[in-house]
Amino acid sequence: MFEILKPKVYINSVYNIDLRKLKKTKKIKGIIVDLDNTLVAWGQKEVSQKTIDWVKEAKRLGFKICIVSNTNSKRVAEFAKIFNIPYHSKYFKPFSIAFNNGLKILDTKKSETVVIGDQIFTDIWGGNRLKLLTILVVPIVKKDSIGTFLHRNLEKIFISFWLRRSIIKKEVGNWPK
Ligand SMILES: [Mg+2]
């Protein structure tokens, strides 16, 4: 039950994703990444150099990477410019059209694409529906939009239930091992 909401991987942050191994052992070529609370703190205008370097490294390793975000287009466009990567923000996650547009931008197959995000009801649900590899990260900050408040409480219930029953585990250190 609720299989569609369950992330394939649950991890602290994007930095714990071993990009080399993701490419080599999981055969991933494309990254669809969320913006708020995945790459940058919600409501913040700045992004850390560490995150800029992470995106750079992904590109250097040959990944195609794009932001798919439900945040307003102007904000997404500004960050996409900083990262120098394409973005999609016209259609909302978890609707498949948002992810399909991401796939179109990347020009990768579903089987070689990963979705990385901090929300079960948008990033993970949508990614799972299209059978993409889904990685849930812990939100960068606890602050969030009002609309997300209810989701957050539900998410906590799901995550603690899965963890308690060992249905998912939180990856310690880097992943894939
Ligand atoms: Mg987010």
Side-chain angles (χ1 to χ4, degrees):
M1 204 179 169
F2 301 118
E3 198 63 25
I4 198 82
L5 296 174
K6 203 178 76 187
K8 302 285 183 302
V9 180
Y10 179 41
I11 204 159
N12 246 333
S13 83
V14 293
Y15 313 128
N16 296 105
I17 300 165
D18 187 326
L19 292 168
R20 276 171 201 280
K21 285 195 182 159
L22 184 69
K23 193 177 175 194
K24 210 172 166 201
T25 65
K26 301 288 171 187
K27 308 278 180 253
I28 294 296
K29 292 180 182 166
I31 301 173
I32 291 176
V33 67
D34 171 53
L35 180 68
D36 281 322
N37 271 342
T38 298
L39 289 180
V40 299
W42 182 84
Q44 292 295 309
K45 289 209 164 110
E46 263 110 63
V47 55
S48 68
Q49 188 58 46
K50 195 176 174 187
T51 308
I52 294 173
D53 290 344
W54 184 84
V55 172
K56 250 189 217 162
E57 176 67 1
K59 286 194 282 183
R60 199 187 61 80
L61 290 170
F63 284 100
K64 292 179 177 174
I65 178 165
C66 84
I67 299 171
V68 175
S69 170
N70 288 357
T71 311
N72 73 72
S73 297
K74 191 169 166 267
R75 178 172 166 81
V76 188
E78 280 167 11
F79 280 107
K81 200 173 165 195
I82 294 171
F83 292 121
N84 193 22
I85 53 176
Y87 71 95
H88 174 83
S89 66
K90 192 175 165 197
Y91 296 104
F92 284 125
K93 298 177 285 186
F95 295 113
S96 295
I97 190 167
F99 295 91
N100 277 325
N101 272 296
L103 286 167
K104 215 180 279 172
I105 291 169
L106 295 177
D107 192 24
T108 52
K109 292 181 197 140
K110 289 176 185 171
S111 60
E112 45 190 40
T113 309
V114 65
V115 176
I116 306 170
D118 69 302
Q119 284 193 55
I120 287 175
F121 294 100
T122 53
D123 306 303
I124 306 304
W125 188 10
N128 280 345
R129 224 172 28 210
L130 287 186
K131 298 194 164 39
L132 308 178
L133 175 62
T134 48
I135 301 181
L136 181 70
V137 296
V138 176
I140 295 174
V141 292
K142 287 213 171 93
K143 249 167 89 183
D144 229 314
S145 66
I146 296 164
T148 309
F149 178 76
L150 182 69
H151 288 176
R152 284 295 183 211
N153 285 313
L154 273 173
E155 271 178 12
K156 274 183 207 151
I157 295 168
F158 275 110
I159 292 168
S160 62
F161 175 83
W162 288 328
L163 288 174
R164 254 196 339 262
R165 305 206 168 194
S166 304
I167 294 168
I168 61 168
K169 62 168 183 162
K170 192 166 179 189
E171 293 296 334
V172 183
N174 289 346
W175 179 89
K177 299 271 182 266

